Amino acid sequence: MLLPCLHTVCTSCLENLDPFSVVDLRGGDSDTSSEGSIFQEPKLCSLQPQVGILCPVCDAQVDLPVGGVKALTIDHLAVNDVMLESLRGEGQGLVCDLCSDREVEKRCQTCKANLCHFCCQAHRRQKKTTCHTMVDLKDLKGYSRVGKPILCPSHPSEELRLFCELCDRPVCRDCVVGEHREHPYDFTSNVIHKHGDSVRELLRDTQPHVEALEDALAQIKSVSSALQERVEAVAADVQTFSEGYIKAIEEHRDKLLQQLDDIRVQKENALQLQRAQLEQLLADMRTGVEFTEHLLTSGSDLEILITKGVVVERLRKLNKVEYSARPGVNHKICFSPQEKAGQCHGYQVYGAINTQEVDPAQCVLQGEDLHRAREKQTASFTLFCKDASGESMARGGDNVRVEIVPKDKKDSPIRTVVQDNKDGSYRVSYTPKEPGVYTVWVCIREQHVQENSVLASPVTLIKHLSYELERKKGGGQKTARCACGGTMPGGYLGCGHGHKGHPGRPHWSCCGKFIEKSECSYMSGQSAPRSLLRTVAL
């Protein structure tokens, strides 16, 4: 049987398939092939229960007609091919079309019937078939078509020779006088050209799609092949890189472990030497103490006086020996996994062992803003951390705490920001809110940086106030002072920049600058530039 998906399957195989119920949403005249369900929009209609099967070749859904599997279209080309194969196999399996009992020996070319020896003789004895051409079975092996006549399913004795144009299907003579009465029809040989041309035209329209799909599949195959090759190449690169990186990391690991062991040996040797020195000094001390105590408790006055010189000299010498009561080395060893450690075999490796420990007494503060800053403007200075030997720390991560407190408002510290530069230095930023003197506190691990850091790091701000404002504050008296404490003739306390007329101009300042609240360049104990300050006659 020919299925809607154009696959040919024998009737017995189709009957053995398990049918299932489906609901037809496309209408009774729709294409039941899988292609139709994909490329055509379904036509909404009444729900019609159907019985379907799946094509055993492509799994396409096949909606069975009312007659079941046997009502499907017969693939006569396949029947012809099966018969040719049987003929090429010496006719094994072919039985006579008339008696359906004996094996075939000849074929009637006129009736298109396969006959056994007995039926062949009977066929020749009949008056109507006596002139039919009979061919031996072995002579048919070179033929391309040996099919039987296609008979009408409604009238089995009639051959399908006509074609109903209205119903678009082959019919027999009995059909045109019965079911297809008054339908336009013609002989199949007369209409084959028209219908064959339409099929050929549709075939020509389909062929480019076949070529396009074949080309697309070829491209997909090519890309898939290229993809596989590229994946294998990249996998090889990843493998090579990983193996090299692993080797570099392992070598760096071994170096770190060796460095750690060297540090251990060095520190242990230093501790052993210090311990030996301290043990020897302790033994000498104990000997001196024990001998002196024994002399003082058990010796006579004369004995004490006789040995006094030696004992005193020994004890004085022992007391002058300098020693450290603290271990000469510490156990501070840390591993910094994120620190860059250079390259190993061309790979950047990370992780370093550090034994440095910051010494607050060796740390320094630098920056002009450490002693002077502008009101309401961000200022900054830098803390440089060093170890006990004065070497700069090459890493950050220390616990740095900074407080900047007004001298007259110690309970109102201003906000500070500490930025770790990751190289042993820290940038400290702050913004003074008002003029005054500030005290800077910098601590590392709860220890002050430098002995005098608390007192030696004030921040002084001098605000420029106009002379008029100072006079207003003093009730309009001539004794209003400038912020710098300078004086000018005429009974006024202060200084001016030389405007003609009254010195109480809004631009008056202590250092000669014209902009109010600008940075003061006056330095205590130094004379101001004469080019900027002049005495004004009243």
Side-chain angles (χ1 to χ4, degrees), residues 1-195:
M1 294 297 179
L2 181 63
L3 302 182
C5 57
L6 301 185
H7 286 127
T8 302
V9 184
C10 66
T11 305
S12 59
C13 292
L14 292 177
E15 290 176 343
N16 291 331
L17 296 177
D18 294 330
F20 55 88
S21 297
V22 295
V23 177
D24 186 10
L25 299 176
R26 298 163 293 182
D29 58 348
S30 62
D31 184 10
T32 57
S33 65
S34 60
E35 290 82 354
S37 63
I38 296 177
F39 297 107
Q40 295 181 0
E41 296 183 357
K43 300 177 182 179
L44 295 178
C45 63
S46 59
L47 300 180
Q48 299 179 4
Q50 294 273 345
V51 177
I53 58 175
L54 295 180
C55 173
V57 179
C58 65
D59 285 338
Q61 178 180 324
V62 178
D63 296 339
L64 296 178
V66 178
V69 172
K70 294 183 179 180
L72 294 172
T73 303
I74 299 175
D75 188 356
H76 295 282
L77 292 177
V79 173
N80 178 75
D81 293 339
V82 171
M83 187 172 295
L84 282 176
E85 288 296 325
S86 299
L87 292 176
R88 294 188 180 105
E90 301 299 334
Q92 297 179 359
L94 287 180
V95 295
C96 179
D97 292 338
L98 296 181
C99 64
S100 302
D101 186 23
R102 303 178 184 87
E103 291 187 359
V104 177
E105 291 187 2
K106 294 183 179 295
R107 178 177 175 80
C108 176
Q109 292 292 78
T110 306
C111 299
K112 306 295 183 183
N114 299 323
L115 305 174
C116 63
H117 179 70
F118 178 80
C119 293
C120 180
Q121 292 180 348
H123 199 66
R124 287 177 175 174
R125 285 195 293 268
Q126 294 183 10
K127 184 176 182 180
K128 294 177 60 176
T129 59
T130 185
C131 60
H132 287 188
T133 303
M134 306 296 291
V135 181
D136 289 338
L137 192 63
K138 60 181 180 179
D139 297 333
L140 295 173
K141 294 183 180 181
Y143 283 49
S144 60
R145 289 196 56 82
V146 292
K148 299 179 180 180
I150 302 177
L151 303 179
C152 178
S154 301
H155 309 92
S157 61
E158 294 293 331
E159 187 176 352
L160 295 175
R161 298 178 179 271
L162 304 175
F163 187 82
C164 178
E165 295 286 354
L166 181 63
C167 300
D168 194 31
R169 67 175 187 178
V171 294
C172 66
R173 290 182 302 176
D174 292 347
C175 290
V176 296
V177 297
E179 181 183 356
H180 298 270
R181 183 183 303 173
E182 298 181 358
H183 289 188
Y185 67 91
D186 200 348
F187 287 99
T188 56
S189 59
N190 296 335
V191 299
I192 187 58
H193 301 289
K194 178 178 67 173
H195 293 278

Side-chain angles (χ1 to χ4, degrees), residues 204-223:
R204 284 193 298 268
D205 294 339
T206 307
Q207 196 64 34
H209 295 290
V210 174
E211 296 174 357
L213 290 173
E214 290 177 348
D215 182 63
L217 289 174
Q219 293 182 21
I220 291 176
K221 182 179 180 181
S222 176
V223 172

Side-chain angles (χ1 to χ4, degrees), residues 306-342:
I306 292 174
T307 58
K308 168 183 172 293
V310 178
V311 172
V312 170
E313 180 67 20
R314 180 59 176 171
L315 293 179
R316 286 178 177 175
K317 184 176 180 180
L318 290 175
N319 290 334
K320 290 181 180 180
V321 175
E322 295 182 356
Y323 63 91
S324 176
R326 299 174 59 184
V329 296
N330 54 47
H331 63 282
K332 299 294 183 181
I333 303 176
C334 63
F335 176 63
S336 302
Q338 297 181 352
E339 183 176 339
K340 289 186 177 181

